[in-house]
Amino acid sequence: LIGGGDGFSDIIQFHPAYTYEDFIEGLRPTTQNGELTYSIVPGRFLEFCEQAEACEDTCVLIIDEINRANLSQVFGELMYLLDDRQDTERFITLASGKQFRIPTNVRIIGTMNTADRSIALVDNALRRRFAFISIYPNSEVLRLYHHREETGFPVDKLTSILEDVNQAINNKHYELGISFFLTKTLAEDIQDIWQMEIEPYLEEYFFDDQGKMDEFLWYKIKHKLSQ
C-alpha cells in the first residue's frame, strides 16, 4: 500500500486498558518549573494523522488486536469521520477546541484473532465501517518458505501432519497456524516447538477427548516426520 511513494506505516496494539485519551487526545500530567500541571496531549492517532497530512501518498495505521479494547470508547466520535472518507469537509471538534479530520490518504488496518471471545465487542456500528478479510493457515506459504531458505526440512510431511491436526480440530477459528514453523532452524527446534507450544494448545482443545490428543503427541509426530 505504501510502496513507491512518500507514505509510511505505523503499528499500535490495543489492550483492555487502552482509552480514547491514548488514541485521540486527553489530559496528561506534565511538569513545568517543578510544578505538576495537566495538559491536553494528542494521542497516537492524532499524531499519525498530522504526519500523514504532510504526505501525498497512502499512509497505513495497523491496529493489532483491535478487538481487545472497548472500541466504542476508544474511537468515540471518530465513528462519524469513518462514515464517509471522501467527504473532506467532515470534521469533528475535539475537547481541545481543535477541528480534526482524517486525511483521505490514511488507511486503517485492524487485525484480530477470530478465536478470541472478545470479538463480540466489535459491534455492528464499527463492522459496517470496515471491510473484513478472513485469513486462515496456508500450507503453501510454509512450503515456499522452506524451499526458498533451503532448510532441508521435510516440509511436505509437516504440512500433511498439520492438515490432519486441523481436520481433527474441525473448527476453522481454532486451526493450528504455520507461524510456529517459519524458522530456518526448524530441524533443531521442532521438538521444543511441538512439546512446549503445540501439545499444550492441543491438550486444552482436546481436554475431553484424550484419544485424539494421543494421536498428536511428539513421539508419534517424530515418527511421521522421519518416515
Side-chain angles (χ1 to χ4, degrees), residues 126-173:
L126 191 66
R127 283 179 183 274
R128 67 173 178 263
R129 289 168 169 86
F130 281 80
F132 280 71
I133 301 173
S134 299
I135 300 175
Y136 298 107
N138 186 340
S139 297
E140 188 60 24
V141 173
L142 185 61
R143 289 192 185 94
L144 289 174
Y145 173 85
H146 284 279
H147 291 161
R148 183 182 72 243
E149 299 298 333
E150 298 180 348
T151 62
F153 191 85
V155 66
D156 290 331
K157 294 178 181 179
L158 176 61
T159 55
S160 177
I161 291 168
L162 295 181
E163 288 170 3
D164 291 342
V165 171
N166 288 331
Q167 186 174 1
I169 290 175
N170 195 30
N171 185 327
K172 64 181 182 180
H173 298 294

Side-chain angles (χ1 to χ4, degrees), residues 17-86:
Y18 209 85
T19 65
Y20 175 91
E21 290 76 16
D22 297 319
F23 194 58
I24 307 297
E25 70 172 14
L27 289 173
R28 290 287 185 273
T30 58
T31 303
Q32 294 181 354
N33 299 323
E35 294 185 2
L36 182 65
T37 61
Y38 288 86
S39 304
I40 294 181
V41 176
R44 291 288 299 278
F45 188 59
L46 243 66
E47 292 177 336
F48 179 87
C49 288
E50 287 174 357
Q51 295 177 45
E53 286 275 19
C55 301
E56 293 183 2
D57 297 301
T58 301
C59 301
V60 179
L61 178 65
I62 301 171
I63 304 176
D64 187 36
E65 301 282 8
I66 190 172
N67 56 318
R68 294 191 65 223
N70 183 336
L71 294 180
S72 297
Q73 192 272 341
V74 171
F75 277 80
E77 69 272 46
L78 191 63
M79 294 283 202
Y80 173 71
L81 298 182
L82 292 173
D83 265 340
D84 187 355
R85 295 296 312 285
Q86 300 309 312

